[in-house]
Amino acid sequence: MSVPPNRTTPRVSATFDPYTISEIQRAAATGIYDIRGGGSKRRVPHFEDLLFLGASMSRYPLEGYREKCGTDVVLGARFAKKPIHLKTPVTIAGMSFGSLSGAAKEALGRGASAVGTSTTTGDGGMTEEERGHSETLVYQYLPSRYGMNPDDLRRCDAIEIVIGQGAKPGGGGMLLGQKISERVGKMRTLPAGIDQRSSSRHPDWTGPDDLEIKIEELREITDWEKPIYVKVGASRPYYDTALAVKSGADVIVIDGMQGGTAATQEVFIENVGIPTLAAIRPAVQALQELGMHRKVQLIISGGIRNGADIAKALALGADAVSIGSAALIALGDNSPSLEAEYEALGTFAGAYDDWHEGRDPAGITTQDPELARRLDPVLAGRRLANFLSVLTLEVQTIARACGKSHIHNLEPEDLVALTVEAAAIARVPLVGTDWIPGQQRY
Amino acid sequence: MPTFDLAVTTVRDVNLALHQLTPDTNQTAWQIENPQGKHAIGVGINVPVELEINGHVGYYCAGMNKHASIRIHGNAGTGVAENMMSGTVHVMGDASQSAGATGCGGLLIIDGDASARCGISMKGIDILVKGSIGSMSAFMAQAGNLVVFGDAGDALGDSIYEATIFVRGKVKSLGADCIEKPMTPEDRERLSELLGRAGMEGAAEIDDFRMYGSARELYHFHVDNIANY
């Protein structure tokens, strides 16, 4: 664009940037808010704002690939007769059949089982694809209770009571009719093709005192064998953690705002909840004050992408992490090989998030049988297994560099922050200083 | 008849004994004394036994019941027969909130009143309340039938899907997308069959009941319905 010499160069507003303008125009044209899948896309303080202090003089590193660095984790030893023992602290987060295709659920099970970790069901119940291919399967107990079945409760390995998720703490589900096939509808006891508005809170209890009794009921039904997880969307992690401990949880899952969802309002995804990084220290503090750190395990999720993210979450006090979006990408979601088809949908590889429309070219977030057939669950499962192995190796690499013989020996002392806000949030010193904002260290 | 006295034994012992039964058991009649309002009594039963509970029970009694016939000779706390799959639960007193919540099958009978959110998110269960029910009952009810001899509170059937509600008394107000519907011969037959199953045949005239269900206006999101979401 050429600008005449008598005119100033046009500039876009920082407030009304092109995306904001397009959203206003879209809303004015359609009369409905934007719905999409995925998690928060805007920049928030995250794990890349932290750095590890590798061993040098004051710390002694372990020999890479030679000296052992353990990665296993036990979840749910507080009350359950059969706690879960995983080989890696990276679990697969709950994602529903309905949101995902059956082949995608199978692939998740294959990939997770190959490396010794767990998968999780989602809203809509348990499918044979995932039970059949997941060595360790966590069964979600959700507010909607879609597909809730005591037989499945008895054949799972752990129960996750979902109170909220990071993309939408306080929000209910929104699986639109395009993805409600006959099978999905039948599993949820609803007609095919209609929008499903799942409730935002559990229908038969009203707060932490009731949660304690609900947990007791689930334990009684399953003869106290299975660990009980409680999952919350990150918003008030200190209090939610303390109340979950009080309610009798074996494991607490905290999902930050970068955590994904099948479909929710864009304005909700980007404006409700707090970043994953900000959720960890308050939760750990609550556990420590109650004397329950490492006794009640803490799983952190929401925007986990690589081994460094995992190592940092563990160093800040988590026992394990969950991945959802990253697992879908490993299966083949947003692959550049599908660029032409993404463009035909008005988007591009790397930005596709209209999962609710059910037209996913990768065959992952769809119930269209033709599209779903595109995903080879064996191949996709192998890709996920590769990715999970890489994540585990990366965590080990960092842990050895910090002189740790087990990844759970990582600690806040191993970290510094690149920014003042990350230092304050993660409660580690600003890099090059001994200053933790808001804290007197000496 | 095996009898447990919850004044001296634990709910855990009771549930464990019931869970250890096989479908072909000869021990089909069980009794519980002194429930004393304890929670989670008789949850997760998976065999066709008959269980008599002599007294008041706390939360989630008979939760996720499958196959069993359970009679509670007293009042029931929150979430009685929650997510029941099959069988029968009969509360011979009043029930607290969320009775029969998310129930997928079977029959829940409440001789007295039921509190708020009776039949919330019901998914195929049939519920018959001889007294009245509280507000927000059958909220998001997906399938099954809720029959009420007495009155219904505010916002009956709010956001209801394919469940049906029959009320003989007054309805304080209907929730979003819930409307009164004319009864077809099939509806009348279904109601009659339900009364019969609950041992209430002839206790009331079919014509005394009014039927409510979904207007199906909220089945597909539309901005004109925004006030109802």
Side-chain angles (χ1 to χ4, degrees):
Chain A
M1 174 186 159
S2 64
V3 180
N6 61 339
R7 303 289 298 270
T8 56
T9 302
R11 65 171 175 167
V12 298
S13 165
T15 305
F16 290 91
D17 59 38
Y19 175 79
T20 303
I21 290 173
S22 74
E23 172 51 23
I24 292 170
Q25 291 165 338
R26 192 207 57 76
T30 65
I32 184 175
Y33 40 57
D34 188 31
I35 295 172
R36 68 169 174 87
S40 172
K41 292 190 169 188
R42 66 176 166 143
R43 168 87 180 100
V44 294
H46 201 30
F47 291 114
E48 69 255 29
D49 297 324
L50 303 179
L51 296 173
F52 276 104
L53 300 173
S56 50
M57 288 285 282
S58 53
R59 295 282 181 115
Y60 194 70
L62 297 190
E63 196 66 64
Y65 298 106
R66 292 181 188 167
E67 292 183 287
K68 284 197 181 302
C69 178
T71 63
D72 64 317
V73 59
V74 175
L75 300 171
R78 185 185 183 194
F79 290 117
K81 286 184 204 165
K82 296 181 179 176
I84 285 176
H85 194 165
L86 303 177
K87 291 178 182 169
T88 175
V90 192
T91 66
I92 305 298
M95 291 177 275
S96 73
F97 172 74
S99 170
L100 301 189
S101 66
K105 293 298 280 184
E106 178 183 334
L108 291 173
R110 286 178 179 275
S113 298
V115 301
T117 191
S118 60
T119 63
T120 311
T121 65
D123 222 349
M126 184 188 293
T127 62
E128 293 310 314
E129 286 95 330
E130 61 190 339
R131 178 62 284 185
H133 293 93
S134 295
E135 193 175 296
T136 306
L137 181 59
V138 182
Y139 187 36
Q140 284 194 332
Y141 188 75
L142 291 121
S144 74
R145 310 275 169 86
Y146 287 143
M148 185 63 222
N149 188 320
D151 294 338
D152 292 337
L153 207 61
R154 285 184 276 264
R155 66 181 184 146
C156 70
D157 301 291
I159 300 161
E160 181 171 290
I161 301 173
V162 180
I163 296 172
Q165 62 182 106
K168 48 183 177 184
M174 286 184 75
L175 192 60
L176 300 187
Q178 297 97 309
K179 293 175 78 170
I180 310 300
S181 64
E182 287 291 339
R183 182 182 176 195
V184 173
K186 189 175 177 190
M187 283 179 68
R188 299 176 183 222
T189 327
L190 284 168
I194 67 167
D195 298 346
Q196 294 185 3
R197 315 176 298 273
S198 30
S199 50
S200 61
R201 55 181 209 256
H202 283 265
D204 56 357
W205 54 272
T206 53
D209 291 337
D210 284 2
L211 174 59
E212 185 173 351
I213 305 170
K214 173 55 71 177
I215 288 175
E216 180 188 341
E217 182 207 10
L218 295 173
R219 284 208 167 99
E220 281 297 319
I221 289 171
T222 53
D223 291 324
W224 290 70
E225 289 183 346
K226 302 168 199 299
I228 306 285
Y229 299 14
V230 172
K231 178 179 179 177
V232 295
S235 53
R236 297 178 181 86
Y238 176 84
Y239 295 106
D240 289 342
T241 299
L243 288 170
V245 169
K246 183 258 178 194
S247 300
D250 292 299
V251 177
I252 296 164
V253 184
I254 297 187
D255 192 24
M257 72 177 285
Q258 298 102 312
T261 180
T264 273
Q265 302 94 330
E266 156 90 5
V267 70
F268 208 140
I269 293 172
E270 296 290 6
N271 294 284
V272 183
I274 65 172
T276 304
L277 182 63
I280 303 175
R281 294 308 295 271
V284 172
Q285 183 184 337
L287 289 169
Q288 288 170 335
E289 288 176 2
L290 293 166
M292 299 305 283
H293 192 218
R294 307 297 186 198
K295 295 176 185 167
V296 171
Q297 285 75 43
L298 177 66
I299 299 179
I300 289 293
S301 57
I304 302 285
R305 304 155 299 183
N306 53 45
D309 289 352
I310 298 164
K312 289 167 187 174
L314 300 182
L316 293 175
D319 295 278
V321 303
S322 268
I323 60 169
S325 300
L328 298 186
I329 294 167
L331 296 186
D333 178 69
N334 271 289
S335 167
S337 66
L338 299 165
E339 185 63 64
E341 294 187 62
Y342 286 125
E343 284 185 18
L345 293 172
T347 182
F348 56 88
Y352 177 64
D353 57 17
D354 287 325
W355 298 341
H356 59 290
E357 293 179 346
R359 296 188 291 166
D360 183 356
I364 295 170
T365 59
T366 182
Q367 292 301 314
D368 182 313
E370 289 297 316
L371 292 172
R373 261 195 289 277
R374 291 182 174 191
L375 187 77
D376 178 344
V378 177
L379 181 61
R382 197 175 305 138
R383 290 172 56 86
L384 176 62
N386 286 343
F387 177 58
L388 290 167
S389 296
V390 168
L391 292 178
T392 308
L393 288 168
E394 287 176 342
V395 182
Q396 280 179 309
T397 300
I398 289 171
R400 282 197 188 95
C402 293
K404 314 295 185 183
S405 60
H406 196 286
I407 55 172
H408 285 142
N409 295 338
L410 288 163
E411 56 190 326
E413 285 283 313
D414 296 314
L415 291 168
V416 291
L418 274 171
T419 65
V420 173
E421 57 262 42
I425 289 168
R427 304 180 195 174
V428 298
L430 183 67
V431 61
T433 77
D434 64 357
W435 178 48
I436 300 176
Q439 291 188 21
Q440 294 287 333
R441 295 195 73 204
Y442 302 117
Chain B
M1 178 188 297
T3 300
F4 287 100
D5 184 350
L6 282 176
V8 294
T9 191
T10 65
V11 171
R12 179 82 286 268
D13 290 335
V14 173
N15 287 330
L16 187 61
L18 292 165
H19 294 173
Q20 286 173 340
L21 296 174
T22 55
D24 59 349
T25 180
N26 290 323
Q27 292 183 307
T28 56
W30 292 68
Q31 189 158 281
I32 292 174
E33 301 290 347
N34 296 309
Q36 299 176 336
K38 290 190 168 79
H39 306 314
I41 296 173
V43 295
I45 300 178
N46 198 24
V47 286
V49 296
E50 293 190 5
L51 175 62
E52 301 282 336
I53 303 174
N54 295 315
H56 308 308
V57 295
Y59 279 49
Y60 308 128
C61 181
M64 300 203 196
N65 178 53
K66 206 172 171 189
H67 305 303
S69 294
I70 300 171
R71 279 212 297 184
I72 301 161
H73 297 265
N75 301 326
T78 294
V80 63
E82 72 95 5
N83 215 85
M84 180 159 67
M85 303 300 287
S86 62
T88 304
V89 174
H90 188 164
V91 180
M92 302 180 81
D94 298 323
S96 185
Q97 61 187 1
S98 305
T102 77
C104 298
L107 176 64
L108 169 63
I109 304 166
I110 297 164
D111 284 356
D113 298 325
S115 183
R117 302 192 288 180
C118 178
I120 185 169
S121 292
M122 52 194 281
K123 293 170 168 59
I125 189 175
D126 293 319
I127 303 173
L128 191 143
V129 182
K130 296 180 187 174
S132 298
I133 57 173
S135 60
M136 292 294 283
S137 289
F139 173 59
M140 294 181 90
Q142 296 173 216
N145 300 283
L146 171 60
V147 182
V148 184
F149 277 68
D151 301 332
D154 269 322
L156 179 70
D158 193 284
S159 302
I160 190 171
Y161 286 101
E162 293 296 305
T164 309
I165 307 168
F166 300 94
V167 182
R168 190 171 71 161
K170 295 187 192 117
V171 174
K172 193 166 183 189
S173 68
L174 293 175
D177 213 29
C178 185
I179 57 171
E180 184 177 351
K181 294 182 168 184
M183 267 196 260
T184 65
E186 291 76 25
D187 296 324
R188 297 170 65 86
E189 191 177 329
R190 185 156 38 105
L191 177 55
S192 175
E193 186 268 335
L194 264 167
L195 296 179
R197 267 207 291 151
M200 298 289 289
E201 202 162 33
E205 295 295 325
I206 298 297
D207 288 335
D208 290 346
F209 289 89
R210 299 170 79 174
M211 192 181 85
Y212 305 88
S214 178
R216 302 190 179 100
E217 295 289 328
L218 301 182
Y219 277 20
H220 298 281
F221 188 93
H222 193 280
V223 70
D224 292 343
N225 294 327
I226 198 74
N228 289 322
Y229 286 101

